[in-house]
Amino acid sequence: MKRKVIQLADTTQSITIPRTWALFNNLQKGEFVEVEEHGNLLLVRADRENNSEIEIDLTDLTKDLSWRYLVTSYRKGAKTINIKFRDKRELKIIQDLVKDLLGMVIVKQDKNKLIMKDMFSNSKADIDDSLKKIFALLIDLSKDSFEAIKNNDKLSIENIPYQDFNINKFANLSVRLLNVFGYRERNKTNSIYKIISVLEEIGDEYRRLSLVYSRLGNKVSRNTLDCFEMVNNLLLNYHDLYYNFGREEAKQFYKYAGDALEKIKESYEKGNSTDVQILSSLDTILHLIKNLAEENMVVNL
């Protein structure tokens, strides 16, 4: 809808707020709204606490599907989630899953229903801090995966999925914050969302890689380990590129990515079945990191 700009004084212009929006947000005369400038965009937000509620029915659902309902409600930014369930078995599943939703706690429970609330403060949490945590956890995961497979350290390999779960927690929190507050530079919100999502995918791929190795159990070749190191270094290079983007840095990143891809292609023919599976995952991780770099250009150009 269009609104006409009204000149009130020499230095003051105004527009009217749509009546339907004011009614929906229960705005009264004299109340304040938050106004944010984003280039040619102007964001107007009701200056009040987020009290959004969602009700979900998890009766007769698998654990996987129950999780998807829960995490979707969480990512959307609901302040309160009302959950229906059938019996103690389903309640136990819900209680286990809630632990992975940072800031959410069960505040009330009866025979077939429980209420989960966000206990974070209503002030805007820092998405950039959460993103730094995802980077740190993912880099640790990449190094630990490499060392565990290099040394055939079965105990460390078994711990890899738990490291990935921690990445998922912060990724879900970051998406929730984006949905509730947006990004400080509004025109970059979609790109930041994609970057967070792809970082989460990379963590998932490292987890799959470790599970494949755990299942097959054959010692991997030196060629495969060299490819592993190159892909891990590419992740470190992307981290540096994200925080210090520049033309020369981008050129060096893409050259190294090309060298790593050639090394992976050459190694496919030299390895055993375990090598091939590991190389396939490394190939996927490499292309995901390149996708991140492309989105980084959208943010910086």
Side-chain angles (χ1 to χ4, degrees), residues 230 234 253-263 286 290:
M230 291 186 77
L234 187 67
F253 172 87
Y254 276 97
K255 181 183 183 308
Y256 192 83
D259 293 342
L261 184 58
E262 283 303 311
K263 179 70 174 176
L286 185 149
K290 287 181 69 177

Side-chain angles (χ1 to χ4, degrees), residues 13-63:
Q13 286 116 351
S14 67
I15 58 172
T16 58
I17 292 175
R19 177 65 174 162
T20 51
W21 184 82
L23 289 172
F24 178 79
N25 287 282
N26 195 30
L27 284 176
Q28 305 296 322
K29 179 181 177 181
E31 286 194 75
F32 289 93
V33 294
E34 249 183 65
V35 180
E36 298 177 13
E37 298 179 48
H38 301 280
N40 66 341
L41 299 176
L42 196 64
L43 176 67
V44 180
R45 191 200 314 271
D47 187 17
R48 55 167 51 93
E49 180 180 339
N50 169 33
N51 289 316
S52 59
E53 288 193 34
I54 288 180
E55 183 165 322
I56 53 177
D57 186 351
L58 302 185
T59 57
D60 297 322
L61 298 184
T62 63
K63 183 175 182 178

Side-chain angles (χ1 to χ4, degrees), residues 13 23 27-28 64 69 73 91 101 148 158 163 185 187 196 210 228 266 279-280:
Q13 286 116 351
L23 289 172
L27 284 176
Q28 305 296 322
D64 181 63
Y69 268 97
S73 303
L91 174 61
L101 303 177
E158 290 175 1
Q163 290 180 259
E185 297 174 75
N187 61 332
I196 291 166
S210 66
F228 208 140
E266 292 170 3
L279 290 167
S280 177

Side-chain angles (χ1 to χ4, degrees), residues 191-227:
S191 292
I192 297 298
Y193 181 97
K194 182 175 179 181
I195 287 169
I196 291 166
S197 298
V198 175
L199 287 172
E200 183 182 9
E201 283 186 62
I202 292 172
D204 291 343
E205 198 60 40
Y206 275 112
R207 174 174 52 82
R208 280 191 284 270
L209 181 154
S210 66
L211 291 174
V212 165
Y213 179 78
S214 181
R215 186 176 73 250
L216 297 177
N218 297 325
K219 189 173 178 63
V220 300
S221 69
R222 182 67 248 178
N223 272 332
T224 299
L225 290 174
D226 288 343
C227 292

